[in-house]
Amino acid sequence: MIKHFLKISSGVFALMIAFSTHAQTNHKTTKHLPKSDEKRLSAKIDSLVSLMTLEEKVSMIKSASAFTNGGVPRLGIPEIVMSDGPHGVRHEVNRDWSRNEKVDSRATFLPAEIALASTWNKDLAYKYGTVLGTEAKHRGKDIILGPGINIVRSPLNGRNFEYMSEDPYLISVMGVGYVKGVQDQGISACVKHYLANNQETKRQEVDVLMDERALREIYLPGFKAAVQKGNAYTIMGAYNKFRGQYCTHNEYLINKVLKGEMGFKGAVISDWSAVQNTMQALKFGTDIEMGTEMRNWGNWNFNKVFMGDTAISLVKAGVVDVSYIDAKVKRILWVMHKINMFGKRTPGAINTPEHQKVALNVAEEGIVLLKNNNILPLKKDALKSIAVIGDNAVRLQAEGGGSAQVLAYYEITPLKGLRNVYAPDTQKVSFSQGYVVKKDGTADPQLIAEAVKAASEAEVAIVIGGFVHGYTNEWNDKAFDSEGADKKDIKLPFGQDELIKAVVKANPNTIVVLLGGSASDMSQWVNDVKAIAQVWYPGMEGGNALANILFGKTNPSGKLPVTFPKQLSDMPSHSIGEFPGDSTVNYKEGIFVGYRHFDTHHIEPLFPFGHGLSYTQFAFSNLHVQKQGENVLVSLSLKNTGKVDGAEVVQVYVSDEQASVERPKQELKAFEKVFLKAGESKNISLTLGKEAFQFFDDKKLDWVLEAGKFTINVGSSSKEIKLKGAVSF
Ligand code: BGC
């Protein structure tokens, strides 16, 4: 797609040629330019900026349409085209947000990010990013607005499906893979939402308070890794406030921490309509203001925004120095160079067989088998019939959820997948709806009766329920994983508990499959059903993936990236009454988020962090923990002792046994997903850097490694610790 028409005036032609030649010849190596090249690049950027009028500069630091900033055609500077979203390139809109029906807007609908995180497979994170980057390029985009890497602080956050985990280390590894995958395609990732956008309730006003230790140990590491290890070119500032100041122009978070301490060289893009103050945006680090014009919906005026005409007047009046604007423009041009906007891009691709395969693999590896009481895998040849029950078996999810919506090329629903893999024949696979997605959220006795009849006539019943993405005509904030609202509860909506209980009574061979972006309350039936699988939002190949797992064509290997509590009140943020906040939310649980809280305070979860079953068994042995200079080398053997091929995630947790401050019982510090054929063994080595043992001292305001003994717990989940070792500093 030809996107940028350059009109270059003769006066600046030579400079632009030099700029673009540089970009072209260095495209593959721009990420790690030697210092001298970085200097040359910055000199070129400086010269270009020196040619620009104030108005031209200001046009670049704010939106010029729904998803672009302004370009400077006179100087050959194109607009930057951005697009949601985190699991598929969003449909096209016109400059005013109306849907653009004239172009093909379809894309690969990948499993949601929480499913990606459940794979614990960093190579898949990279491939996932590659799909997004290539498809974004094909669709003429420059920046993809993802990944979402906010901490899952409560299962109720409506956007958990777009995030990854409660654990900063898992987020860091998977987030870096995603960012690199996108950016190696010459497209920028935009890591969001910086910072602490952990609730949707009052997201545009809530003020998040947390101590410095929680900030450093829990909420920042994902962003730090994305910047320092992933080389992310852009970051999106969150809507909410942090310690009294809006995140999108938060002096501490952006100027001091992100651009100062972390050395972020790219551009900070505001969330859409997140800017609230001209002076703060100018001075405290917002580089591109997006979406403010939405406040006056329909009367689009891209100059009457905080960093538009007002900024020009302030500079002209001498109130604000133009250097603030220059600094932003330079960062933007730096990003544009890194993503080769002045050169010739390689073509992208869309919906290729490889992309479909990534969608399938992520869905399969992201499915977490929570419970299996000798029923799975189902035997394709011996099984006579299945009763598939539940609206989620046939519901299309791709276009729900808010800005993460995708116009999918296709979407294999669970029912379709089961019929594809098992039997197209409706005699063998019946379907009954079981419940209706409706505003009042109540059960439908007639549908339950039909489901019970179907279950009693089949050999196996599979209830496919959970939560859904919302559509406005059926809005029910108890049920929906969607931007703009939080769920009110983790109880399954629409009478699903009643449904499941009635189905189990009719057929003890009941399997429950749950979609959704978070944990749900299973207390009423968890002990009675034979198997439970969490499939999140599994993307356009989701139904095939589910069927492959249930029939054992693929051995499950997903692991929970979040703790599933027995009840909502066990979650730290809820136990202290700090979710959701209203005007303020105080993260008084500090660093004790997710399993850090459950393990330390001896609370039994329903299913622990890192949990996920397989159809084979693995034996862990021969643990050696050895210091090697500054690092600690953890090595062990892993054997697949069962009869089928499979994958295990070796998880390494560190416990500080002699700390002067309160520390979590254990913390994930390394992991590796290992594929083993039946009977095969492998030696695994994982390296822990010194940061794996440190805590953030909020008096010294620095990381500290205290002398003493540390236990190394190696296991298949945070609760299934198979081997223990120790090291002392
Ligand atoms: C969301 C962002 C999204 C942006 C653009 C905002 O409402 O919070 O995640 O990228 O809209 O659609």
Side-chain angles (χ1 to χ4, degrees), residues 84 90 159 192-193 203 236 239 271-272 403 483:
D84 289 304
R90 195 179 180 183
R159 292 186 90 171
K192 65 193 190 182
H193 307 89
R203 65 175 175 170
M236 187 186 292
Y239 281 124
D271 200 342
W272 268 236
S403 62
E483 189 177 337

Side-chain angles (χ1 to χ4, degrees), residues 27 81 83-90 107-108 110 124-147 177-190 339 345-351 355 358:
H27 175 42
V81 183
S83 175
D84 289 304
H87 52 248
V89 185
R90 195 179 180 183
T108 295
L110 291 162
L124 271 186
Y126 181 85
K127 286 187 184 159
Y128 185 104
T130 305
V131 172
L132 285 167
T134 329
E135 299 209 347
K137 191 154 60 169
H138 177 87
R139 292 261 304 271
K141 313 296 179 193
D142 305 304
I143 299 180
I144 191 91
L145 303 172
Y178 178 129
V179 168
K180 284 188 167 168
V182 170
Q183 295 196 166
D184 281 355
Q185 299 307 310
I187 298 297
S188 174
C190 183
I339 56 174
R345 282 203 175 128
T346 53
I350 203 146
N351 189 34
H355 294 187
V358 173

Side-chain angles (χ1 to χ4, degrees), residues 541-563:
E541 284 285 342
N544 288 335
L546 174 67
N548 287 344
I549 293 283
L550 295 182
F551 282 97
K553 196 169 164 200
T554 305
N555 194 347
S557 62
K559 301 279 183 176
L560 285 182
V562 289
T563 304

Side-chain angles (χ1 to χ4, degrees), residues 120 557-560 608-614 617-620 636 638 647-653 668 672 713-723:
W120 293 56
S557 62
K559 301 279 183 176
L560 285 182
F609 177 81
H611 169 76
L613 303 173
S614 166
Q617 299 80 42
F618 296 93
F620 291 63
L636 64 137
L638 184 73
E648 178 60 292
V649 179
V650 174
Q651 304 170 32
V652 178
Y653 296 86
L668 179 75
E672 190 168 323
N713 299 322
V714 180
S716 58
S717 87
S718 59
K719 284 279 188 193
E720 288 284 312
I721 300 302
K722 311 278 188 182
L723 301 168

